[in-house]
Amino acid sequence: MDALTPGQTIKFDYTQNGVPREGFLVRLKESWVAYENRCRHIAISLDFGDGQFFTEDGKYLFCQTHGAVYEPDTGLCVHGPCTGAKLFSIPLEIDNSGVWIDME
């Protein structure tokens, strides 16, 4: 669980309803969140394959293609072409052994 420090992310692949998808895990100061790596404006990855999801100041997640800006803790788009939409959240389970996606 200490592999990521606050403000860092890691991408992962998963399957939902038989469809392969890509997600990313975000370490916040006091918690963890995970989202599908898909912008809510156009169904493309937020990053350019480089795993960069945060704005330069580290305060927001953003889409590198057209600049949609999302709150890291809620996934809410607060600026850009999809303002008011939310990233697709991936449920997590956290225990002493690690952080796991919960896709039951």
Side-chain angles (χ1 to χ4, degrees):
M1 287 186 46
D2 294 328
L4 294 179
T5 58
Q8 287 188 310
T9 61
I10 190 168
K11 294 194 310 184
F12 59 90
D13 294 318
Y14 68 103
T15 301
Q16 185 178 30
N17 300 323
V19 178
R21 300 186 187 276
E22 182 176 77
F24 63 101
L25 178 68
V26 180
R27 174 82 185 262
L28 301 174
K29 288 181 184 176
E30 301 294 327
S31 62
W32 299 80
V33 293
Y35 299 107
E36 183 177 358
N37 187 9
R38 184 167 57 157
C39 184
R40 292 304 312 270
H41 174 230
I42 299 173
I44 57 173
S45 298
L46 294 172
D47 68 327
F48 284 145
D50 58 6
Q52 298 297 314
F53 294 97
F54 275 98
T55 54
E56 279 190 33
D57 62 9
K59 291 182 181 180
Y60 296 97
L61 302 172
F62 80 111
C63 178
Q64 292 185 35
T65 300
H66 48 73
V69 177
Y70 301 89
E71 293 177 339
D73 56 340
T74 65
L76 178 67
C77 182
V78 293
H79 180 74
C82 51
T83 300
K86 281 188 170 186
L87 294 173
F88 295 110
S89 179
I90 300 170
L92 296 175
E93 248 185 69
I94 302 168
D95 62 28
N96 291 335
S97 64
V99 178
W100 312 93
I101 63 171
D102 185 12
M103 299 304 294
E104 289 185 21

